[in-house]
Amino acid sequence: MATAEQSEGLTFHPMDQFIVKPLFGGEGVGMLTPTNVTLWMAITVLAITALFVLGTRGRAIIPSRMQSVAELAYGFVHKMVEDVAGKDALKFFPYIFTLFCFIVFSNFLGLLPKAFTTTSHIAVTAVMAVAVFLTVTIVGFVKNGAGFLSLFWVSSAPLALRPVLALIEIISYFVRPVSHSIRLAGNMMAGHAVIKVFAAFAPLVLISGVGIAVTPLSILAITAMYGLEILVAFIQAYVFTILTCVYLKDALHPHH
């Protein structure tokens, strides 16, 4: 039978990895307290800066690996903005590109051992989602004036249904920042929690009490889940960015 110490060794808490902790000790976390979240957000900003400053420093005709990654990321988001929101939305490209880079770097850095995934916290994703919501709403009214309200009036629908559809459109519009933020935070949190659960099943205490064996099935499951999380890390950054482009398109061209 497993000893008490061995049983304690198998104790795990999948959600502990998401606890916000002060960097320099203490218990309380105030508005200005440096935490593990601020640390990894700073690391994310430094990593992005390093890629685009060092990667594009030479501007070689035959690009280096870093330059290739920087150029691919730039071209990918630029084409997305142009295709989804139109050429007149390209003035917002720097903002959208910054969002994409921050999310994708935060997601991938969060996959490192002992790292903290900042995008798994609703506080972080909600700020980005609300910023997008306010930006597109302000742009919509500045560019179209009262005509922006035509976004909620489905003129192609039968007249009797238009008030009902307008109410649904208004509700769905104000729910956007909620779904926009929860989708990203929920996916990142769920994936990391599942990996932690699989990791807890990897060690198996031997009945003889000789030691601990690692089950190959658990290691395989962790590896597969980790590979899936790499894919999810990119997809969630892509989804957040393309939804931002869709919302921007609605602001620039609100007519149904």
Side-chain angles (χ1 to χ4, degrees), residues 5-52:
E5 290 182 0
Q6 289 170 332
S7 298
E8 289 177 5
L10 290 176
T11 302
F12 68 99
H13 304 281
M15 304 308 289
D16 281 0
Q17 59 185 308
F18 305 113
I19 296 174
V20 179
K21 302 175 183 176
L23 282 181
F24 307 109
E27 293 292 330
V29 176
M31 288 185 65
L32 301 178
T33 305
T35 63
N36 48 352
V37 179
T38 52
L39 171 65
W40 282 96
M41 287 178 75
I43 291 172
T44 300
V45 173
L46 289 174
I48 295 169
T49 305
L51 173 64
F52 289 101

Side-chain angles (χ1 to χ4, degrees), residues 36-253:
N36 48 352
V37 179
T38 52
L39 171 65
W40 282 96
M41 287 178 75
I43 291 172
T44 300
V45 173
L46 289 174
I48 295 169
T49 305
L51 173 64
F52 289 101
V53 172
L54 300 178
T56 59
R57 183 175 53 182
R59 298 181 185 176
I61 297 175
I62 302 176
S64 63
R65 290 179 182 176
M66 285 186 70
Q67 185 178 335
S68 295
V69 172
E71 289 177 355
L72 282 170
Y74 183 96
F76 175 75
V77 179
H78 189 278
K79 190 173 187 306
M80 184 197 305
V81 174
E82 186 176 0
D83 289 348
V84 176
K87 288 187 177 180
D88 51 344
L90 288 176
K91 64 180 77 172
F92 299 97
F93 167 74
Y95 174 56
I96 296 172
F97 185 59
T98 302
L99 276 177
F100 175 79
C101 289
F102 179 79
I103 295 170
V104 80
F105 270 79
S106 296
N107 291 354
F108 278 113
L109 286 172
L111 291 171
L112 296 175
K114 301 295 183 181
F116 189 92
T117 312
T118 54
T119 45
S120 66
H121 268 256
I122 192 68
V124 176
T125 59
V127 169
M128 294 189 291
V130 170
V132 169
F133 177 78
L134 292 176
T135 300
V136 298
T137 303
I138 292 169
V139 168
F141 278 109
V142 168
K143 185 177 184 298
N144 304 284
F148 179 61
L149 297 175
S150 64
L151 177 66
F152 310 111
W153 191 254
V154 186
S155 56
S156 59
L159 186 59
L161 291 177
R162 289 179 195 177
V164 178
L165 292 176
L167 181 61
I168 294 171
E169 289 287 339
I170 291 170
I171 293 171
S172 65
Y173 185 82
F174 283 97
V175 168
R176 280 179 177 182
V178 178
S179 61
H180 208 186
S181 57
I182 290 177
R183 182 184 294 104
L184 174 58
N187 275 283
M188 299 314 300
M189 180 180 287
H192 283 65
V194 170
I195 289 177
K196 188 72 176 284
V197 170
F198 277 121
F201 289 117
L204 177 66
V205 180
L206 299 180
I207 296 177
S208 60
V210 174
I212 294 178
V214 177
T215 56
L217 186 61
S218 294
I219 297 299
L220 241 136
I222 295 168
T223 305
M225 196 63 206
Y226 198 86
L228 180 63
E229 274 300 289
I230 292 174
L231 183 62
V232 169
F234 176 78
I235 289 175
Q236 287 306 312
Y238 172 77
V239 169
F240 193 98
T241 309
I242 201 167
L243 283 175
T244 301
C245 293
V246 171
Y247 300 157
L248 182 59
K249 179 187 177 183
D250 288 343
L252 296 172
H253 312 285

